């Protein structure tokens, strides 16, 4: 009987730990966060730029390969750590001039981010990586 009791306790502890690991920002019944911040929607200023320059490919209905890396339609569902890491990648790719891709730039010159927009996006990326 004692053994069964301890096994039940152990099972309960495992279940709690698994839940905490699987859902890092679940609220407890009392409304206190166990851990993690809330995922943030894309800032309006950033959304404006990526809508013009990126979302032909990086959004639902866009390019599957592109969306495997970043899908702006699903941004809100990314965990905060993933958002921060992706924001860094985005800053890197646009600074290098690797995104939007060369061919797309040639056909859509208006979609090439300006220097001011690059700076804005990279500052946003930094703010997520504090
Ligand atoms: C014409 C379609 C297209 C447009 C427009 C586009 N991308 Fe991409 N992007 C892709 C594709 C395709 C890949 C996947 C490349 C691969 O896997 O080799 C990609 C990959 C990426 C990656 C991951 C790169 C890596 O290797 O880690 C980032 C970050 C990215 N894009 C950001 C952007 C941003 C930011 C914009 C807008 C400024 C943008 N892309 C515009 C097609 C596009």
């Amino acid at each position: 009987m004692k053994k069964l009791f301890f096994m039940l306790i152990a099972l309960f502890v495992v279940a709690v730990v698994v839940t905490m690991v699987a859902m890092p920002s679940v609220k407890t019944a009392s409304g206190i966060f166990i851990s993690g911040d809330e995922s943030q929607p894309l800032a309006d200023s950033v959304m404006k730029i990526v809508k013009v320059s990126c979302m032909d490919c990086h959004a639902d209905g866009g390019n599957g390969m592109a969306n495997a890396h970043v899908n702006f339609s699903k941004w809100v569902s990314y965990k905060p750590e993933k958002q921060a890491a992706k924001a860094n990648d985005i800053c890197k790719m646009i600074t290098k001039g690797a995104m939007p891709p060369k061919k797309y730039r040639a056909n859509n010159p208006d979609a090439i981010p300006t220097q001011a927009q690059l700076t804005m996006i990279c500052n946003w990326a930094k703010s997520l990586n504090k």
Side-chain angles (χ1 to χ4, degrees), residues 45-46 49-50 83-84 86-97 99 113-130:
S45 46
V46 176
I49 302 168
V50 302
Q83 291 186 340
K86 292 290 172 192
N88 261 351
D89 287 349
I90 289 165
C91 164
K92 244 185 252 161
M93 295 304 280
I94 58 173
T95 304
K96 279 199 292 195
M99 284 289 150
T114 64
Q115 190 56 52
Q117 289 177 325
L118 293 187
T119 308
M120 228 265 337
I121 292 216
C122 290
N123 283 340
W124 160 75
K126 264 185 224 148
S127 77
L128 293 190
N129 280 280
K130 263 184 197 142

Side-chain angles (χ1 to χ4, degrees), residues 49-58 63-70 72 85-94 96 98-101 103-105 108 111-113 118 121:
I49 302 168
V50 302
K51 224 180 203 164
V52 173
S53 302
C54 321
M55 284 179 68
D56 276 358
C57 305
H58 291 277
N63 177 305
M65 288 234 299
N67 283 330
H69 291 277
V70 184
F72 288 111
K86 292 290 172 192
N88 261 351
D89 287 349
I90 289 165
C91 164
K92 244 185 252 161
M93 295 304 280
I94 58 173
K96 279 199 292 195
M99 284 289 150
K103 198 165 161 205
Y104 187 85
R105 287 170 180 256
N108 305 274
I112 301 172
L118 293 187
I121 292 216

Side-chain angles (χ1 to χ4, degrees), residues 3 34 39 47 53 65 67 106 116:
K3 212 166 162 190
I34 293 171
S39 299
M47 180 50 112
S53 302
M65 288 234 299
N67 283 330

Side-chain angles (χ1 to χ4, degrees), residues 23-34:
M23 295 182 281
S25 58
V26 209
K27 284 177 185 175
T28 62
S30 58
I32 298 164
F33 286 105
I34 293 171

